[in-house]
Amino acid sequence: MTDARKSGSTTPWSRDELPESGMPEVSPISQQLREVDALSRAFERRLGSVLTVNQTDLTAMEHLIQDGPLTPSELATRLKVSTAASTLVVDRLVALGHAERHPHERDRRKIVVVPARASVDRTVQELLPVILGVAAIVEEMPEADREVVSTFLDRVADVYRTAASAP
């Protein structure tokens, strides 16, 4: 790592400044994981564009589609935003036709947010080629290879879980 940079320096950052010790060479597998991550994020951006929603709204839709009707408060918790921000998300989704507000089935003072059927259908239409494509790849693999890949992905997920929960 070069010591040439001082605070307040106008010299642009350089990759050469990364520590040399402890940084492993980028393996082909690491590179492939980066590419899958980048492509996954690109697909999410494309899906958001197709549905005309931002990332937060897309995440809200994901929760609504996967977990069913949610109150704005439950949605706020899942999105890690304030209830006021969650209300704005719901307002946008309703205005775009992606969600509907309905009375809570047990507590009539509350409302639940339900994904609109046409929006779910459109989302599934976009997701299905990816879901079916990955499923086909898995089906083509011998069982022993599936076990190796599954173990590897579990361990990678554990690394990320640990890093995400660090203080």
Side-chain angles (χ1 to χ4, degrees):
M1 177 138 71
T2 176
D3 292 328
R5 282 184 47 96
K6 307 250 186 272
S7 70
S9 170
T10 58
T11 306
W13 177 83
S14 166
R15 184 170 170 74
D16 296 337
E17 295 178 55
L18 289 173
E20 290 179 25
S21 62
M23 291 293 284
E25 285 293 318
V26 177
S27 71
I29 290 174
S30 292
Q31 188 59 40
Q32 289 168 309
L33 285 171
R34 285 183 190 173
E35 184 177 11
V36 168
D37 179 52
L39 291 169
S40 175
R41 284 184 278 127
F43 176 75
E44 283 184 4
R45 285 190 302 277
R46 183 188 157 280
L47 181 59
S49 178
V50 165
L51 300 172
T52 65
V53 296
N54 65 32
Q55 183 59 49
T56 301
D57 296 356
L58 186 61
T59 302
M61 288 177 62
E62 181 182 339
H63 287 294
L64 292 170
I65 291 170
Q66 287 182 349
D67 302 323
L70 298 170
T71 66
S73 214
E74 292 168 328
L75 202 50
T77 299
R78 290 166 188 241
L79 296 173
K80 295 178 176 57
V81 299
S82 68
T83 52
S86 174
T87 298
L88 293 174
V89 169
V90 172
D91 288 346
R92 286 192 303 267
L93 292 177
V94 168
L96 290 167
H98 292 304
E100 302 165 350
R101 289 180 173 95
H102 290 278
H104 192 281
E105 75 177 31
R106 288 184 304 280
D107 185 346
R108 295 295 179 178
R109 296 168 297 173
K110 291 182 180 180
I111 64 148
V112 291
V113 183
V114 179
R117 183 174 306 279
S119 182
V120 173
D121 291 346
R122 179 69 173 133
T123 303
V124 169
Q125 177 185 357
E126 293 295 324
L127 290 172
L128 209 50
V130 174
I131 293 167
L132 293 176
V134 172
I137 292 167
V138 171
E139 283 300 312
E140 293 168 359
M141 295 175 72
E143 184 60 35
D145 290 354
R146 285 188 215 169
E147 289 177 27
V148 169
V149 171
S150 180
T151 300
F152 170 75
L153 292 174
D154 281 343
R155 293 180 68 190
V156 169
D158 285 343
V159 169
Y160 276 97
R161 267 187 220 97
T162 299
S165 64

